[in-house]
Structures are given as structure tokens and as C-alpha cells.
Amino acid sequence: THFTLSGNFKRGTKKEVSDRIESLGGVIEKNVVQKTQYLIVGSDGNDCWAFACYGRKVEKALGLRKKGQELTIINELDFWDIADDLL
């Protein structure tokens, strides 16, 4: 299962999220790519959001979904609740 992380995280760091995913057998992709199945978005958002923009990773994920790719966007707080079920 392939994941990409985006934004600023409130509950823990990106490293802690990455470590949890990898400990369960998942793979972290630096950017949203064809292999990405889940985009985990930090609760503190991204500086771009102040300008009504979602950020490049979210935009790329939405674009891939429009083209038919199965890609789920998950808030980081929800991730912690369902991490074991995703992998």
C-alpha cells in the first residue's frame, strides 16, 4: 500500500506517521504518483491554503482521481483511528 503525506501535522510529526505506515508494511512516496493509494493530509494544513489553494499534492491527487485512479484522501486525525485497517 502506497502513501503520500501533505501539509503540516498536528498529532505527531510526518516522521511518526511515516514510521507507523512503514511498521505496518506500507510504502511512503515523496510525491503523489500513479502508485499512491492514500494521501494523508495534516490537520494544520498548508501555507497555500491561506490563498484558497489546496497545495500541489492535493491538486495532483484530485487530478488522478478524475482520471479514474483509486486514491483516497484522509485527514491525519482520521488516519490514526484507521491505520491498522488500511494496511
Side-chain angles (χ1 to χ4, degrees), residues 13-57:
T13 64
K14 282 186 180 177
K15 176 152 179 30
E16 290 171 325
V17 174
S18 294
D19 289 348
R20 178 72 174 139
I21 290 168
E22 290 173 340
S23 76
L24 294 169
V27 177
I28 301 295
E29 301 290 346
K30 182 176 169 116
N31 295 302
V32 175
V33 295
Q34 291 289 331
K35 292 180 183 179
T36 304
Q37 295 164 289
Y38 296 97
L39 174 62
I40 310 297
V41 179
S43 293
D44 276 348
N46 179 314
D47 295 337
C48 293
W49 295 4
F51 304 101
C53 164
Y54 290 113
R56 300 218 187 277
K57 290 179 183 174

Side-chain angles (χ1 to χ4, degrees), residues 66-83:
K66 282 183 181 179
K67 292 179 181 176
Q69 181 170 331
E70 290 187 32
L71 195 156
T72 304
I73 300 171
I74 303 172
N75 180 280
E76 69 151 312
L77 299 178
D78 295 328
F79 164 77
W80 289 109
D81 292 336
I82 62 173

